[in-house]
Amino acid sequence: MRSTHLSFEIADASSVAFARRGAGEAAQSIGFSETDAGRLALVVTEASTNILKHAGHGELLVRVDADGPASGVEITALDSGPGIEDLRRAFDDGSSTAGTAGTGLGAIKRLSDELAVYSQPRLGTVLRAVVRSKGQGGSRAMPAYGMDIGGICTPLRGEVVSGDAWSVESDQDGLTITVADGLGHGPEAREAAVAALEVAYRRAGRAPATLMELAHGALRSTRGAAVAISRLDLVRSVLSFCGTGNISAVAFGIGRPLMAGERPAAVPEARESWQLSSRNGIVGHAMRDAQQFDVAWPRNALLVLHSDGVATRWSLSAYPGLYLQPAALIAAVIYRDFSRRRDDATVVVVKAAPGVEFAHEHTDIQAQT
C-alpha cells in the first residue's frame, strides 16, 4: 500500500517552516540520519521558497517513500504560477527571474536522489523530488517490470487519514493495481479501503473480476467502498479491468476494451482514449456481478485512475509534453488542477514506458528517457 501524502499550503514564510517540520517528522519516522534529514530540509525550503517567489501560493505534498532499495521522503511542489520559460536554463546556478541568487532548482538537483519537473508557460510548475537514506545503501527506485507507476493520495482537509487508498502488487507474470474509496471520510472509510487492498495483496495474480467478488465478501463488515482493480499481464501484454462504484479509469494508446467473450470489431475504432466502465454499487453492500474488460497493452499505453475527489473533465492534450513525463508528475498535475478540495483525493497513473527525470549516481546526473 502506498502511503498517504501530507498536504501543506504554501502561502507565506511561516507555512514554509510548517512544511519543513512536517517533512522532518516523516524523515524521523524512517530513521533518517542527521545528514539526510538536513538534505531533506533544504529541498523543502528551496521548493517552498520557489513557490512563494514565482507563484505567490501553492501546495507542498510530503510522503514516506519505501518503493526503492532505501527508504526516502518524497516531496511534490505544486503551483499554478506563470511557469518556467526555459527549464534547462533554470537549473543553472545564477539563473533567476525573481532577482534572487538563482540557486533553488540547482540546489534541489544536487541534494535529491530523484528529481522530475514539469513546467509550461501559463500552466504552472510541478516538481517531484525524493531524498533517500544514504546510510541504507540505496538510491533510486527502479520501476517494477520496467513500468512507471505513480500517484497522489490526500485526505480531506481536517482529517488525519484518507478514506482513499491504493496499492501495487506484483506476481510472476505482472502487476495488480487497486484503488479504493471508502464510503465517507476518516478512519472507518480508511478501514474499508484498506480491506479491499488486502484482498489484492493476498491473491495477487488473480483476475480482477475474481478479486472484486472476493472484496465484496471481505468488506461486508465495513461501511463499503468504491473499488477499481486493474491487472497488467506483462507476459501477454494485456490489461484487464473491473470496477464497482465511482472510481474513474481512462486508458490511452489502446484499442476498444472488450468484455469477456466479446469479439473485436472487423475495423478497430480509433480513439485517443477509452473510459473503462465501472458498474454501479458499493463493494461490501450492494454489488452486481463483477464485469471485466480486457484490452491489449502496447508500449505507449497509459492508464489514469482516480477517486471522485477529482473531477473528470481533465484532458492530457491541454498540457504540452505531459504524456512524456513520469507517472508521478502526470498524477500531480491532474491532482493540482482538478482536485475538488472537499473530499479525499487520489490519482494513480500507470505508464508502459518511463518518463524523463534526473537520476543521481554518486555525483553524476543523467537524464533518462
Side-chain angles (χ1 to χ4, degrees):
M1 183 175 68
R2 306 302 172 96
S3 60
T4 302
H5 287 82
L6 300 175
S7 172
F8 299 92
E9 181 182 14
I10 303 300
D12 52 35
S14 63
S15 60
V16 175
F18 187 51
R20 190 167 53 237
R21 283 196 297 273
E25 291 172 1
Q28 187 177 16
S29 73
I30 55 175
F32 260 30
S33 68
E34 185 176 342
T35 299
D36 293 329
R39 288 194 297 129
L40 177 64
L42 287 171
V43 168
V44 171
T45 301
E46 295 290 350
S48 302
T49 303
N50 276 351
I51 289 175
L52 292 179
K53 288 176 181 175
H54 300 285
H57 183 272
E59 183 177 7
L60 194 85
L61 303 177
V62 177
R63 179 181 77 97
V64 172
D65 180 7
D67 299 335
S71 298
V73 178
E74 176 191 68
I75 302 298
T76 305
L78 314 164
D79 73 64
S80 299
I84 302 172
E85 290 283 351
D86 188 340
L87 187 56
R88 288 194 175 276
R89 184 169 178 268
F91 278 93
D92 296 335
D93 289 345
S95 174
S96 173
T97 59
T100 63
T103 58
L105 287 180
I108 294 172
K109 185 171 69 173
R110 290 189 294 273
L111 292 164
S112 60
D113 297 289
E114 300 170 38
L115 177 63
V117 183
Y118 175 78
S119 187
Q120 291 285 337
R122 298 174 298 281
L123 292 178
T125 300
V126 173
L127 177 149
R128 175 185 179 269
V130 181
V131 176
R132 297 199 181 276
S133 173
K134 299 298 187 185
Q136 295 182 22
S139 56
R140 184 173 182 266
M142 299 306 294
Y145 290 95
M147 303 294 295
D148 184 9
I149 304 174
I152 301 292
C153 180
T154 61
L156 172 70
R157 184 159 293 180
E159 292 285 354
V160 177
V161 297
S162 175
D164 292 355
W166 70 284
S167 68
V168 180
E169 305 296 344
S170 62
D171 59 83
Q172 62 182 0
D173 294 326
L175 305 168
T176 300
I177 302 100
T178 306
V179 179
D181 179 358
L183 209 61
H185 313 290
E188 292 186 11
R190 180 73 173 183
E191 178 187 1
V194 171
L197 270 55
E198 182 74 12
V199 171
Y201 168 72
R202 293 186 178 278
R203 299 169 179 85
R206 294 201 183 185
T210 300
L211 293 176
M212 188 67 72
E213 295 286 359
L214 293 169
H216 185 50
L219 269 65
R220 290 190 186 280
S221 62
T222 73
R223 60 171 56 178
V227 180
I229 304 173
S230 302
R231 160 78 182 157
L232 275 171
D233 186 325
L234 299 174
V235 175
R236 299 188 300 126
S237 296
V238 171
L239 168 69
S240 300
F241 173 83
C242 184
T244 299
N246 50 8
I247 303 291
S248 176
V250 183
F252 296 78
I254 65 169
R256 186 173 74 86
L258 302 175
M259 289 186 293
E262 183 180 1
R263 295 184 176 222
V267 179
E269 182 180 351
R271 283 194 195 177
E272 179 190 23
S273 64
W274 291 88
Q275 182 81 35
L276 304 179
S277 299
S278 294
R279 289 199 161 183
N280 294 331
I282 301 172
V283 179
H285 292 275
M287 190 185 87
R288 299 167 59 188
D289 292 342
Q291 183 182 69
Q292 181 172 308
F293 293 90
D294 298 318
V295 66
W297 180 257
R299 172 70 179 167
N300 64 336
L302 183 147
L303 175 65
V304 179
L305 304 156
H306 64 78
S307 64
D308 66 345
V310 177
T312 59
R313 63 182 184 274
W314 55 268
S315 171
L316 291 186
S317 62
Y319 301 89
L322 183 59
Y323 196 99
L324 302 175
Q325 295 298 317
L329 251 65
I330 298 173
V333 169
I334 295 173
Y335 164 83
R336 180 196 65 185
D337 292 348
F338 296 97
S339 173
R340 300 182 191 275
R341 308 292 173 175
R342 59 177 185 271
D343 197 356
D344 305 315
T346 297
V347 185
V348 177
V349 175
V350 182
K351 290 188 68 177
V356 178
E357 63 183 299
F358 290 104
H360 299 236
E361 301 294 341
H362 304 292
T363 58
D364 298 328
I365 298 170
Q366 60 186 18
Q368 294 207 343
T369 57

